Amino acid sequence: MLLLSRALRSPFCNTVIVSFACWTALSAQTQAPLKTLLVGVDHRTTVSLNGDWHYLVDQPPARGLYTLDGKVRDNGYALNTHPNINTGPHNEEYDFATAPTMKIPGDWNSQDPTLFRYEGVVWFQRNFEFQPQPGKRTFLHIGAANYRSFVWVNQKRICDHEGGFTPFDCEVTQVLKPGTNFVVVAVDSTRHVDQIPGIGIDWFNYGGIHRDVSLVTVPEKFIDDYDVHLKHDATFSAANANTLTGYVHVEGAPAGTKVQVSIPEAGVSTTATTDAEGRAPFEAKAKTLQLWSPETPKLYKVHLASGDDSLTDDIGFRDIRVDGTRILLNGKAIFLQGANMHAEAPYRGGRVNNDEDVKNIFSFLKDLNANFVRLCHYPHDERMEREADRDGIMIWSEIPIWQRISYEKPEVYAKAVTMLNEMIRRDRNKASVIMWSVSNETPNMPARTSFLTNLANEARRLDSTRPITSALIGPHPKGNQMVQDDPLISALDIVGQNEYVGWYEGKPEDADTMVWTMPNKPILMSEFGAEAKFGVHGGKNERWAEEQQVNVYEHQFVMINKIPQVRGLVPWVLMDFRSPTRNIPKLQDGYNRKGLFSEKGEKKMAFYLFQKTYKEHSVGKPE
Ligand code: GCB
């Protein structure tokens, strides 16, 4: 991100989006390591750096990381030197070699009880063996670290990154040596007003390197980005749905470099050539193509090759679009039966970051008979999208703009654009992702509306094949009238509506007579629900009882069935999740209790209500 912001100020790069041509020009000019973001890393052969990393806590004000004037200190812990304990002179007072270790990937909060509520800086270090190969380039790939990361390899600062939920790559070609090397990463999870999200969030601010870390070695010229999708014409016709299109970007390739795209099972084999920016657009007709859908989540092996580089990804092809108030998947109107999901691991707690966590949380969705999930409120581990691709679950993917951030500041807008880029770049080849969300429950005011309108347009520019959405909050009821006229609606293709009638507002039965005036667009009821603690039973109007949670939903169903544009149900929330703001002892104990499941996987009564409703398709209609 720092490299990015330097690029933003460069005379070469006066747009907010930093194009790859711009990055390349910049790196040639400054000899800086290449800034890129590798796509499909989980489908490349890599050297995993997951495992035990030493760690040291740099308690606020984090003098190990920041100098008195707020600069990042390159000459302290980053050097990974060792104290002269017995011989003196007295020098640095830290030592990774004898420090405890924790598992990476993993948040620090769930691994060290003394760090459970810690928000601040933790330093990580590990050694690794490496043999550089001539004519190859190597990147350190970090799946995500929350929130701000500073990375040194063999004492050289190789990159910084801002944003807790998207991947980044740091080129290490020049700093690696044969034999033992070491990496030091400082991660700062402190919340600040000019970050995304800002200070106020209703989820646990897990800090640390919480996704996979690996070394990726590629040839001099290599495929760093690609997009392979079903051609998105002005109209969809099932009979003609066999043209695949997109691009392959080859970093470092001169114009005219050949790229092969082949999908043997679909009878696709085509060659394209790179333009001056290393991008090779292509279009090819498949001999046979089975479209991806929840019923047939077909994935194809897609081989990409250029020069010495190649990779094979698993990609599904489908068409998603909005037509009036309908959402069409492969031309057919669909109704989304889903749930909201935080990336918190069932049973063990902590951030989701391995196959078992993903399997566990997806089993809840499947048990519910869901075909859709809103991944809240930030991009999740890439395994989520992979699992959804295989299982036929459709996804709402969102960047972490949650309620109030500094909408009036251009530098915050630049951060949002970067996060949007990183999310779309990582996941644009996932058939399961059917919409991009730019935000959740933002205040209706001019600065926010222009910020998010621009961001929605940016998302559309980056990906013209998927609808853009956002979860809105408000209106507040006037009598029994609810008029949704948020000006942000004109920038959206699908409108997410959050409302908590029966919990934060009014009584459950107030929903029965509520009259909604909604725009002529597909509406998803993107959040609704009530808290209930598993095992607490009582009358249907007794708050915290499972019976009351069911009661809220039953009245919500009455209301929702009367809104003709509703195309999806997304109850808040699949599973109880940790939140530092939920402090009612014995009921919440640090958890938001609106889950259909408890954090231990116990099913509340409301789970069975949704399971049945979804099985019978008894609420809402696709058209
Ligand atoms: C919301 C937010 C969500 C909260 C939820 C709640 O409106 O979008 O992040 O956790 O309400 O439980 O209050």
Side-chain angles (χ1 to χ4, degrees):
M1 185 71 194
L2 276 194
L3 255 178
L4 260 182
S5 40
R6 249 183 265 147
L8 291 174
R9 284 194 295 272
S10 149
F12 286 92
C13 310
N14 53 9
T15 57
V16 177
I17 286 293
V18 181
S19 74
F20 289 92
C22 166
W23 276 339
T24 311
L26 198 76
S27 63
Q29 180 202 13
T30 61
Q31 303 292 304
L34 175 69
K35 187 89 179 128
T36 183
L37 179 54
L38 293 162
V39 174
V41 168
D42 62 345
H43 279 58
R44 282 186 178 272
T45 306
T46 60
V47 175
S48 172
L49 294 187
N50 291 348
D52 294 328
W53 290 51
H54 292 284
Y55 70 97
L56 291 167
V57 179
D58 194 356
Q59 197 170 314
R63 281 286 159 261
L65 179 59
Y66 302 115
T67 62
L68 278 177
D69 53 1
K71 299 224 167 58
V72 170
R73 208 187 278 281
D74 288 301
N75 61 355
Y77 290 34
L79 299 180
N80 184 27
T81 52
H82 307 286
N84 300 319
I85 291 179
N86 299 321
T87 57
H90 207 63
N91 58 356
E92 298 296 346
E93 300 195 13
Y94 72 93
D95 192 7
F96 285 112
T98 51
T101 62
M102 72 167 75
K103 294 273 178 241
I104 300 297
D107 58 87
W108 62 60
N109 315 73
S110 61
Q111 295 195 68
D112 177 340
T114 69
L115 297 181
F116 177 61
R117 294 191 191 282
Y118 181 71
E119 299 190 21
V121 174
V122 175
W123 290 81
F124 297 92
Q125 186 276 342
R126 73 162 279 168
N127 291 339
F128 58 93
E129 299 301 311
F130 192 76
Q131 290 306 326
Q133 301 165 50
K136 301 266 174 144
R137 305 173 78 157
T138 300
F139 293 85
L140 176 74
H141 181 83
I142 298 186
N146 188 32
Y147 171 83
R148 197 183 281 270
S149 311
F150 306 91
V151 187
W152 295 261
V153 168
N154 296 339
Q155 302 187 327
K156 301 257 170 19
R157 170 110 150 261
I158 54 163
C159 66
D160 309 339
H161 182 262
E162 179 170 351
F165 302 99
T166 42
F168 56 102
D169 286 286
C170 315
E171 182 162 17
V172 289
T173 314
Q174 303 302 329
V175 296
L176 290 180
K177 54 185 178 45
T180 305
N181 296 261
F182 64 86
V183 52
V184 173
V185 183
V187 181
D188 186 351
S189 72
T190 313
R191 294 185 246 172
H192 293 290
V193 277
D194 290 347
Q195 294 185 169
I196 303 176
I199 286 178
I201 50 174
D202 184 26
W203 69 82
F204 204 79
N205 187 26
Y206 289 106
I209 308 174
H210 60 100
R211 293 196 192 142
D212 296 331
V213 183
S214 56
L215 286 170
V216 191
T217 296
V218 291
E220 214 37 83
K221 304 180 183 74
F222 60 96
I223 298 167
D224 63 342
D225 183 23
Y226 51 90
D227 172 17
V228 189
H229 64 267
L230 188 67
K231 191 168 181 197
H232 194 81
D233 283 326
T235 55
F236 172 82
S237 135
N240 298 326
N242 59 359
T243 305
L244 301 182
T245 188
Y247 64 83
V248 178
H249 184 267
V250 187
E251 179 52 47
T257 302
K258 294 265 178 288
V259 169
Q260 286 86 38
V261 178
S262 63
I263 312 172
E265 200 187 340
V268 172
S269 178
T270 190
T271 303
T273 38
T274 56
D275 60 17
E277 266 138 40
R279 180 186 274 245
F282 73 89
E283 187 163 312
K285 274 210 185 329
K287 289 212 177 75
T288 59
L289 197 68
Q290 184 180 8
L291 298 185
W292 184 99
S293 72
E295 297 74 36
T296 57
K298 172 72 188 161
L299 301 179
Y300 286 89
K301 293 264 171 234
V302 177
H303 305 294
L304 308 174
S306 180
D308 295 334
D309 197 22
S310 65
L311 83 102
T312 301
D313 201 345
D314 296 293
I315 304 181
F317 303 104
R318 49 99 193 99
D319 186 87
I320 186 80
R321 65 182 64 220
V322 161
D323 176 41
T325 67
R326 301 183 305 160
I327 301 173
L328 304 179
L329 177 73
N330 301 329
K332 196 172 144 243
I334 52 169
F335 189 81
L336 304 173
Q337 302 192 130
N340 284 284
M341 188 202 269
H342 265 292
E344 199 161 71
Y347 314 117
R348 74 171 181 88
R351 276 264 169 268
V352 166
N353 58 25
N354 60 52
D355 293 341
E356 199 185 338
D357 293 342
V358 173
K359 201 170 87 302
N360 287 339
I361 200 147
F362 264 73
S363 73
F364 294 179
L365 274 178
K366 286 188 230 163
D367 216 357
L368 198 65
N369 296 316
N371 63 6
F372 180 70
V373 63
R374 176 176 173 221
L375 297 183
C376 300
H377 282 299
Y378 37 77
H380 288 206
D381 190 298
E382 195 171 359
R383 288 178 176 86
M384 293 283 207
E385 281 82 1
R386 294 291 188 194
E387 180 78 24
D389 265 8
R390 290 189 294 267
D391 286 358
I393 302 277
M394 296 174 278
I395 288 180
W396 159 320
S397 179
E398 180 162 299
I399 57 167
I401 297 185
W402 191 89
Q403 297 190 351
R404 195 171 279 276
I405 61 161
S406 302
Y407 294 106
E408 59 297 335
K409 298 193 179 155
E411 64 275 24
V412 176
Y413 182 72
K415 291 180 194 185
V417 168
T418 301
M419 288 181 191
L420 187 76
N421 264 277
E422 291 170 344
M423 172 177 76
I424 294 179
R425 186 163 159 130
R426 192 192 75 176
D427 288 336
R428 68 185 316 145
N429 293 301
K430 313 291 196 312
S432 54
V433 178
I434 59 164
M435 62 188 85
W436 305 118
S437 165
V438 291
S439 54
N440 175 71
E441 289 193 355
T442 54
N444 182 349
M445 55 187 203
R448 151 290 201 171
T449 303
S450 63
F451 183 113
L452 293 179
T453 300
N454 290 340
L455 201 62
N457 289 335
E458 190 54 41
R460 228 167 252 124
R461 196 188 65 76
L462 291 166
D463 180 5
S464 58
T465 71
R466 285 175 174 90
I468 307 303
T469 191
S470 165
L472 306 179
I473 192 66
H476 297 289
K478 288 205 184 76
N480 67 346
Q481 296 295 313
M482 292 279 226
V483 180
Q484 181 47 280
D485 56 3
D486 190 317
L488 184 59
I489 289 170
S490 58
L492 307 176
D493 303 304
I494 296 176
V495 177
Q497 178 66 56
N498 296 359
E499 51 83 24
Y500 284 90
V501 174
W503 184 253
Y504 292 127
E505 281 178 318
K507 303 237 172 310
E509 57 274 20
D510 291 349
D512 299 354
T513 51
M514 211 132 260
V515 179
W516 284 82
T517 306
M518 285 287 205
N520 208 34
K521 295 192 173 188
I523 312 289
L524 303 184
M525 299 311 283
S526 42
E527 285 185 31
F528 57 112
E531 299 212 22
K533 174 148 179 181
F534 173 78
V536 172
H537 291 285
K540 62 183 188 173
N541 288 319
E542 231 167 279
R543 284 171 84 91
W544 305 98
E546 291 189 40
E547 286 78 357
Q548 204 251 357
Q549 192 184 27
V550 168
N551 190 33
V552 166
Y553 280 125
E554 282 174 340
H555 287 288
Q556 286 285 308
F557 290 168
V558 173
M559 180 188 85
I560 291 168
N561 263 330
K562 290 191 286 192
I563 312 173
Q565 305 94 314
V566 169
R567 299 293 171 239
L569 301 181
V570 206
W572 188 263
V573 56
L574 186 65
M575 188 184 82
D576 291 354
F577 61 96
R578 280 194 190 285
S579 170
T581 65
R582 306 291 176 173
N583 283 324
I584 304 178
K586 299 201 170 59
L587 290 169
Q588 294 177 312
D589 298 314
Y591 281 87
N592 182 315
R593 295 278 178 211
K594 297 191 189 71
L596 304 177
F597 287 84
S598 75
E599 75 283 9
K600 298 191 191 89
E602 296 146 323
K603 292 169 180 162
K604 302 184 197 173
M605 290 169 67
F607 162 83
Y608 296 102
L609 174 71
F610 273 93
Q611 190 187 43
K612 182 164 182 289
T613 305
Y614 287 174
K615 181 153 189 254
E616 295 169 355
H617 301 275
S618 52
V619 177
K621 295 196 208 76
E623 49 195 338

